[in-house]
C-alpha cells in the first residue's frame, strides 16, 4: 500500500486536484460545500448567509423553515446559497439540509463572532455565525456578497459603555458586500453610521432615496452617504470596492417592503417597551438582542416575527439579484478581454508570455470504508476538477493580470466543454479541440484512510501538442518575453520551441512535471536554450543524470545537506541556464543563479556571459495542517507568481515573496489555483504576514 503522503505526491504530479476537502480531510477547520465550490470555480453567483438567525434569532421550527425558504429564494434568483455555520468545531461554508436541521434544534449552540471562533473550534463546539463570523468565512471562501437581516452597531449609551458590535470593525477590515435592512432601532443608529465612516466603510441605501432604514422601518431619521438604484448599480459599486483593494467592506441597506412597513409603528413601540424592560432586568451584552426580539414578538402577537421573516426574504431576493449582476459583469468583462485575445494571429497582438502544456480533467473517488472490494460497488464520493501543469500556470498568470497565450489540446467531448467553461477567464484561443480524441483524464481511487488504491490515466492527447501545431504560433513565440513549457509535451515540441527561442533570444521557463519526464530537454542540446527551470531536488538529480553527471544515490534528509546538494547539482546547469528555482516543499525554495548586488538576478538576461554565481534560500511561509485544503497547485502557483513578478519587472525579493504567498493561498483553497488569487493578495507590501525571514546567502563555486 502507498502512504497518504506518497499518494499526494503521485496525484500532484499527474495534475489531479483534490477538489473538495471532504474527500481528503475530516479533521480540518474549514470546509466548503461542493455546490458552493463548484459555483465559485465557474464564476457563478454565490450568496453567503449567516446562521445566528437559525440558532438565536427565531424559535424552532420557524428558524428552520425560514432558513430553507431563504435558500430557496436565492436559488430561484439564479444564485447558489452558502449558509455558514460551525458544526463540531469545523467552519462550514454551505450547509446540507441535515446540517441546517442540526443547527436549528441544537440547544447548546453558541453565537460565533470573530472573537469566538478560536474557542468554539478548539473545543469542537457548534454554533451560528454572526455577521462578523460569516464575513470571515465567506471572504476566505471567495464569496463577495453576504445577505443578513440587520447588522449590529453601537449600543445606546455606547459612548460610555463602549458596547460596539464586532460587525462594524469587521466591515472595516474584510472586503465583502453586506446586504441588510440597516441596523435595529434598539441601537444608536447615528453613532453606528459615524463609526462605519471612521472604519472607511462605504454605506449606500438600495433604492431611489438615501434614507437609511432601521430594520422594521424604512426610515431611521438618518441618511446613507450614497444610494444605488438597481442590482447593476450595486454590483458596480461592489466591483470597484474589491478592485481598489481597500480591504474594507460595503454596506448596502435595503428598506423593508412597504406592505410590511405598515406594522412598523406598532413594532417600534413594542421595541421601546422591551428596551426599557431589558434595562430594568439588567440584561446586557449579547443577551440583549435575543431578549428584546422575544419580548417584541410577544407584545406584537407575532407581527414582528412575520415582518422579520418578510424582511429577510426581501433581503435575500435583492442580495441574490446583486450577486447575479456582479457575476454577469465579471463574465462580460472576461469575454470582452477575450474578444481580441493576445494569442489571436494578428500583426498588432503579441503576448508577453506563452504557456505550452497539458490540460487535464480529473476525477477523485474516495471510499467510505477502510477496504475497497474490487468487482463490487463500494460506497464513496466522487468529484471532478481541472488540472494540468500548463493549465494551472496559465490560470495563475491570468489571475495575476498577465495575459498568457495558452497552447494545449483537448478533445471534442463533454470534458473539454467543462474545462474550457472553467477557464473562461483565460485566453484559450490556442487550445486545439481535436476530433476523435479524448481530453486528458485521470482517475484516482482512494480508500477512506487516504491510501491510493488504484490510479488510471488517459494522457495520450498530450502527444498531439505537436511541433507542427505549435509552429502555427511561431510569430508569437519569437516575439514573446517568456515562454513556459511543461514536461508533458513531446520532446520534438520542446526541441522546436527551444530552437525558436535560441534564434530570437527568447527566455524559456521549463516546468518539470515528474522525475520520468524531467529529462526531455536534456536528451539533446535543447536544454542550453533554457533560461529558467523549477525542479524539485529529485528532478534536479535526474537532469544531471541525463547529462551524465554523477549524482547522490540517496537524497539528503536534513536542510543543510539538501541545500549543499542542490547548490552542487545546480552548478553545471548554470553554465547555460540563467536561474534555477529548486523547490524544497515545506523547506521553501532555493534560487541559484547570477550574483547581483547581494541577491540572485531573476530579470531576463540580455546576453550570455561569464558571471559570478550564488544561491539564496527562502523558507516557506508557515501553513498548519488545519489550514491546508489542497496540495496539488502550490508549486504551479509559486511558478506562475514568480513569472508574473519577473514580467512586471519586480526585484528578486518581491518576486519570491509573491510566489510564496501564492503557494500559501493555493494550499488554503479547495482549488489548485485559488479563485481569490489576485495581485493584491500576493503583494508582500499589502499582506500582513509573519516577519519575513532574511534569505540565506551562499556562493556557488
Amino acid at each position: 500500500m502507498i502512504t497518504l503522503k506518497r499518494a499526494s505526491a503521485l496525484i500532484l504530479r499527474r495534475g489531479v486536484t483534490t477538489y473538495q476537502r471532504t474527500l481528503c480531510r475530516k479533521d480540518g477547520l474549514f470546509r466548503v460545500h461542493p455546490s458552493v465550490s463548484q459555483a465559485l470555480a465557474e464564476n457563478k453567483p454565490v450568496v453567503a448567509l449567516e446562521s445566528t438567525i437559525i440558532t438565536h434569532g427565531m424559535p424552532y421550527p420557524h428558524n428552520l423553515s425560514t432558513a430553507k425558504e431563504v435558500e430557496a429564494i436565492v436559488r430561484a434568483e439564479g444564485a447558489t446559497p452558502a449558509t455558514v455555520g460551525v458544526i463540531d468545531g469545523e467552519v462550514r461554508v454551505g450547509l446540507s439540509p441535515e446540517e441546517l436541521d442540526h443547527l436549528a434544534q441544537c440547544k447548546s449552540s453558541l453565537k460565533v463572532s470573530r472573537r469566538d471562533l478560536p474557542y468554539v473550534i478548539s473545543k469542537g463546539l457548534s454554533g451560528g455565525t454572526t455577521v462578523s463570523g460569516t464575513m470571515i468565512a465567506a471572504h476566505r471562501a471567495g464569496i463577495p456578497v453576504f445577505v443578513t437581516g440587520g447588522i449590529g452597531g453601537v449600543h445606546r449609551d455606547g459612548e460610555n459603555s463602549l458596547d460596539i458590535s464586532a460587525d462594524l470593525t469587521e466591515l472595516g477590515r474584510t472586503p465583502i458586500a453586506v446586504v441588510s435592512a440597516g441596523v435595529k432601532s434598539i441601537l444608536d443608529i447615528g453613532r453606528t453610521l459615524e463609526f462605519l465612516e471612521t472604519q472607511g466603510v462605504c454605506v449606500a441605501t438600495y433604492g431611489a432615496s438615501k434614507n437609511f432604514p432601521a430594520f422594521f422601518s424604512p426610515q431611521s431619521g438618518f441618511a446613507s452617504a450614497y444610494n444605488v438604484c438597481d442590482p447593476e448599480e450595486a454590483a458596480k459599486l461592489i466591483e470597484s470596492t474589491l478592485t481598489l483593494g481597500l480591504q474594507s467592506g460595503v454596506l448596502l441597506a435595503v428598506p423593508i417592503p412597504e406592505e410590511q412597513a405598515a406594522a412598523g409603528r406598532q413594532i417600534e413601540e413594542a421595541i421601546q417597551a422591551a428596551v426599557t424592560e431589558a434595562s430594568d432586568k439588567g440584561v446586557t451584552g449579547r443577551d440583549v438582542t435575543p431578549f428584546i426580539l422575544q419580548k417584541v414578538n410577544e407584545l406584537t402577537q407575532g407581527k414582528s416575527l412575520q415582518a422579520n421573516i418578510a424582511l429577510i426574504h426581501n433581503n435575500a431576493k435583492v442580495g441574490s439579484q446583486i450577486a447575479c449582476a456582479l457575476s454577469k459583469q465579471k463574465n462580460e468583462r472576461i469575454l470582452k478581454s477575450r474578444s481580441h485575445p493576445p494569442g489571436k494571429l494578428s500583426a498588432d497582438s503579441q503576448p508577453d508570455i506563452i504557456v505550452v502544456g497539458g490540460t487535464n480533467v480529473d476525477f477523485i473517488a474516495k471510499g467510505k470504508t477502510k477496504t475497497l472490494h474490487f468487482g463490487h460497488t463500494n460506497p464513496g464520493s466522487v468529484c471532478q476538477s481541472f488540472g494540468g501543469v500548463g493549465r494551472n500556470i496559465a490560470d495563475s498568470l491570468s489571475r495575476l493580470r498577465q495575459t498568457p497565450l495558452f497552447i494545449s489540446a483537448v478533445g471534442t467531448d463533454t470534458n473539454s466543454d467543462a474545462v474550457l467553461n472553467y477557464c473562461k477567464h483565460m485566453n484559450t484561443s490556442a487550445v486545439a479541440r481535436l476530433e476523435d480524441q479524448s481530453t486528458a483524464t485521470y482517475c484516482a481511487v482512494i480508500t477512506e484512510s487516504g491510501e491510493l488504491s488504484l490510479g488510471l490515466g488517459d494522457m495520450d492527447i498530450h502527444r498531439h501538442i505537436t511541433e507542427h501545431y505549435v509552429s502555427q504560433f511561431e510569430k508569437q513565440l519569437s516575439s514573446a518575453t517568456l515562454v513556459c513549457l511543461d514536461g508533458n509535451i513531446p520532446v520534438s515540441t520542446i526541441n522546436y520551441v527551444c530552437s525558436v527561442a535560441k534564434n530570437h533570444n527568447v527566455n524559456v521557463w521549463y516546468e518539470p512535471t515528474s522525475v520520468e519526464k524531467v529529462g526531455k530537454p536534456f536528451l539533446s542540446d535543447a536544454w542550453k536554450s533554457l533560461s529558467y527551470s523549477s525542479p524539485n531536488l529529485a528532478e534536479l538529480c535526474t537532469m544531471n543524470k541525463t547529462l551524465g553527471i554523477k549524482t547522490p544515490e540517496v537524497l539528503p534528509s536534513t536542510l543543510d545537506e539538501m541545500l549543499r546538494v542542490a547548490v552542487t547539482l545546480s552548478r553545471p546547469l548554470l553554465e547555460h541556464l540563467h536561474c534555477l528555482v529548486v523547490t524544497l516543499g515545506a523547506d521553501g525554495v532555493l534560487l541559484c543563479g547570477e550574483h547581483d548586488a547581494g541577491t540572485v538576478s531573476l530579470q531576463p538576461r540580455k546576453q550570455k556571459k561569464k558571471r559570478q554565481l550564488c544561491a539564496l534560500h527562502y523558507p516557506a511561509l508557515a501553513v498548519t495542517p488545519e489550514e491546508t485544503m489542497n496540495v496539488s497547485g502550490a508549486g504551479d502557483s509559486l511558478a506562475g507568481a514568480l513569472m508574473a513578478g519577473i514580467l512586471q519587472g519586480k526585484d528578486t525579493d518581491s518576486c519570491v515573496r509573491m510566489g510564496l504567498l501564492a503557494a500559501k493561498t493555493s494550499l488554503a483553497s479547495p482549488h489548485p489555483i485559488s479563485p481569490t488569487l489576485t495581485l493584491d493578495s500576493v503583494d508582500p507590501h499589502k499582506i500582513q504576514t509573519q516577519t519575513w525571514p532574511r534569505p540565506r546567502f551562499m556562493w556557488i563555486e
Side-chain angles (χ1 to χ4, degrees):
M1 298 297 285
I2 303 175
T3 64
L4 177 59
K5 182 177 180 181
R6 176 59 178 157
S8 298
L10 289 172
I11 292 170
L12 169 61
R13 282 307 178 191
R14 288 171 173 83
V16 177
T17 55
T18 49
Y19 186 65
Q20 297 303 330
R21 187 179 188 185
T22 51
L23 295 177
C24 59
R25 297 189 62 86
K26 292 186 177 180
D27 59 343
L29 308 181
F30 188 88
R31 192 199 70 184
V32 181
H33 191 275
S35 63
V36 176
S37 188
Q38 181 72 21
L40 290 171
E42 296 176 0
N43 293 322
K44 293 180 179 178
V46 177
V47 173
L49 303 166
E50 52 126 321
S51 53
T52 49
I53 192 171
I54 303 172
T55 57
H56 294 79
M58 295 180 183
Y60 183 83
H62 295 291
N63 56 354
L64 180 59
S65 60
T66 299
K68 291 182 176 180
E69 288 164 5
V70 169
E71 288 199 344
I73 291 170
V74 173
R75 292 189 183 95
E77 293 296 330
T80 298
T83 303
V84 177
V86 182
I87 296 180
D88 298 332
E90 183 180 63
V91 180
R92 303 190 184 184
V93 180
L95 299 178
S96 67
E98 294 76 19
E99 290 167 339
L100 281 173
D101 187 68
H102 171 76
L103 279 184
Q105 298 193 65
C106 182
K107 292 182 171 54
S108 60
S109 60
L110 303 176
K111 289 181 72 173
V112 185
S113 184
R114 170 181 277 267
R115 74 161 191 185
D116 310 298
L117 278 168
Y119 178 80
V120 173
I121 289 172
S122 69
K123 294 292 186 179
L125 304 175
S126 298
T129 50
T130 65
V131 169
S132 67
T134 305
M135 288 177 69
I136 292 168
H139 175 57
R140 178 168 175 178
I143 303 172
V145 178
F146 160 41
V147 167
T148 184
I151 66 166
V154 179
H155 284 252
R156 298 185 184 191
D157 195 39
E159 67 274 21
N160 296 315
S161 67
L162 295 181
D163 191 350
I164 301 171
S165 170
D167 298 350
L168 305 187
T169 50
E170 201 63 51
L171 272 162
R173 59 184 169 188
T174 302
I176 193 170
V178 178
V179 179
S180 83
V183 297
K184 300 177 182 69
S185 59
I186 61 175
L187 302 170
D188 189 326
I189 296 177
R191 285 191 169 89
T192 296
L193 290 172
E194 288 287 348
F195 194 89
L196 286 171
E197 181 181 353
T198 302
Q199 292 290 310
V201 178
C202 181
V203 179
T205 298
Y206 185 83
S209 169
K210 290 185 180 179
N211 290 329
F212 187 80
F215 203 69
F216 289 119
S217 173
Q219 298 183 12
S220 65
F222 298 91
S224 298
Y226 311 101
N227 69 296
V228 289
C229 295
D230 52 42
E232 289 71 29
E233 197 172 332
K236 288 180 180 177
L237 175 62
I238 296 168
E239 178 64 20
S240 64
T241 303
L242 299 178
T243 303
L244 283 168
L246 299 178
Q247 303 304 310
S248 55
V250 179
L251 177 62
L252 296 173
V254 182
I256 189 172
E258 285 298 326
E259 54 269 28
Q260 277 77 41
R265 179 173 298 179
Q266 179 186 356
I267 296 172
E268 287 298 328
E269 290 175 354
I271 288 174
Q272 299 309 318
V275 168
T276 301
E277 184 175 343
S279 177
D280 292 342
K281 291 185 174 181
V283 180
T284 60
R286 61 169 53 197
D287 297 326
V288 171
T289 299
F291 175 87
I292 290 176
L293 290 177
Q294 182 178 352
K295 181 57 64 176
V296 168
N297 188 46
E298 294 173 2
L299 294 173
T300 61
Q301 297 180 333
K303 289 183 179 179
S304 66
L305 179 60
Q306 295 170 15
N308 195 1
I309 292 172
L311 173 150
I312 293 165
H313 285 179
N314 185 60
N315 287 358
K317 181 177 181 179
V318 171
S320 300
Q321 292 171 350
I322 293 171
C324 289
L326 183 63
S327 175
K328 181 180 178 182
Q329 288 176 13
K330 181 177 180 181
N331 287 325
E332 286 176 348
R333 189 171 61 255
I334 292 169
L335 289 173
K336 184 177 180 180
S337 69
R338 293 179 61 201
S339 62
H340 301 288
K344 289 291 185 183
L345 298 178
S346 60
D348 58 350
S349 180
Q350 299 292 345
D352 284 337
I353 181 166
I354 297 173
V355 180
V356 187
T359 300
N360 292 353
V361 176
D362 308 312
F363 300 89
I364 300 179
K366 184 172 184 180
K368 292 184 177 179
T369 56
K370 292 182 178 180
T371 304
L372 295 178
H373 301 282
F374 288 90
H376 300 275
T377 299
N378 295 270
S381 55
V382 181
C383 74
Q384 180 190 55
S385 59
F386 306 103
V389 172
R391 194 219 64 84
N392 288 348
I393 291 175
D395 188 348
S396 175
L397 285 161
S398 298
R399 297 183 189 277
L400 296 176
R401 297 186 192 170
Q402 299 304 127
T403 52
L405 175 64
F406 179 42
I407 302 176
S408 188
V410 295
T412 52
D413 48 20
T414 55
N415 285 330
S416 65
D417 293 337
V419 71
L420 291 174
N421 181 63
Y422 179 86
C423 297
K424 288 186 296 185
H425 61 290
M426 298 162 49
N427 177 13
T428 56
S429 60
V431 176
R433 300 193 71 174
L434 305 179
E435 296 286 347
D436 302 321
Q437 294 293 328
S438 299
T439 303
T441 54
Y442 180 79
C443 178
V445 180
I446 302 173
T447 65
E448 182 188 37
S449 60
E451 302 288 344
L452 179 64
S453 180
L454 180 67
L456 293 172
D458 179 3
M459 308 290 180
D460 286 349
I461 198 168
H462 292 158
R463 296 187 294 107
H464 294 273
I465 310 175
T466 61
E467 173 186 351
H468 174 72
Y469 177 69
V470 175
S471 67
Q472 298 178 50
F473 305 94
E474 183 166 333
K475 184 176 181 180
Q476 284 82 1
L477 290 166
S478 61
S479 60
T481 302
L482 183 64
V483 176
C484 175
L485 306 176
D486 91 22
N488 286 308
I489 64 178
V491 172
S492 58
T493 305
I494 293 174
N495 291 345
Y496 163 73
V497 174
C498 287
S499 174
V500 172
K502 179 180 179 181
N503 293 336
H504 296 276
N505 198 29
V506 174
N507 287 269
V508 177
W509 183 300
Y510 179 59
E511 183 69 18
T513 55
S514 68
V515 171
E516 293 77 20
K517 298 176 182 178
V518 67
K520 288 181 178 180
F522 300 89
L523 298 172
S524 67
D525 284 343
W527 74 276
K528 296 179 180 178
S529 299
L530 302 178
S531 298
Y532 304 89
S533 188
S534 46
N536 59 32
L537 196 54
E539 291 163 346
L540 182 60
C541 279
T542 302
M543 289 177 172
N544 279 263
K545 284 181 182 178
T546 309
L547 293 175
I549 300 171
K550 186 177 180 181
T551 61
E553 293 184 5
V554 179
L555 291 179
S557 56
T558 66
L559 177 59
D560 285 344
E561 276 298 298
M562 283 193 286
L563 295 178
R564 185 188 65 78
V565 169
V567 165
T568 301
L569 294 176
S570 295
R571 182 64 185 87
L573 302 182
L574 292 172
E575 289 294 328
H576 295 279
L577 271 72
H578 176 49
C579 182
L580 279 167
V581 181
V582 185
T583 56
L584 302 171
D587 289 308
V589 62
L590 179 72
L591 267 62
C592 301
E594 179 180 355
H595 177 256
D596 180 20
T599 187
V600 174
S601 173
L602 270 180
Q603 288 303 311
R605 54 181 168 176
K606 303 295 182 183
Q607 58 184 0
K608 293 185 178 181
K609 60 181 181 180
K610 188 172 179 64
R611 60 219 168 113
Q612 195 169 23
L613 301 176
C614 67
L616 281 179
H617 172 242
Y618 284 82
L621 295 179
V623 182
T624 66
E626 291 77 16
E627 293 175 312
T628 303
M629 297 179 68
N630 177 4
V631 300
S632 67
D636 299 335
S637 295
L638 171 76
L642 278 170
M643 293 180 212
I646 291 170
L647 292 169
Q648 292 159 19
K650 297 184 182 295
D651 61 85
T652 297
D653 203 51
S654 295
C655 288
V656 177
R657 291 180 180 183
M658 282 176 61
L660 293 173
L661 284 168
K664 183 174 181 178
T665 301
S666 172
L667 289 170
S669 169
H671 310 282
I673 305 298
S674 172
T676 64
L677 182 67
T678 64
L679 269 183
D680 285 334
S681 72
V682 296
D683 187 336
H685 303 292
K686 294 182 179 179
I687 302 301
Q688 297 297 321
T689 184
Q690 72 254 33
T691 303
W692 286 96
R694 189 171 182 177
R696 178 178 172 182
F697 181 89
M698 292 165 282
W699 290 107
I700 300 179
E701 299 297 334

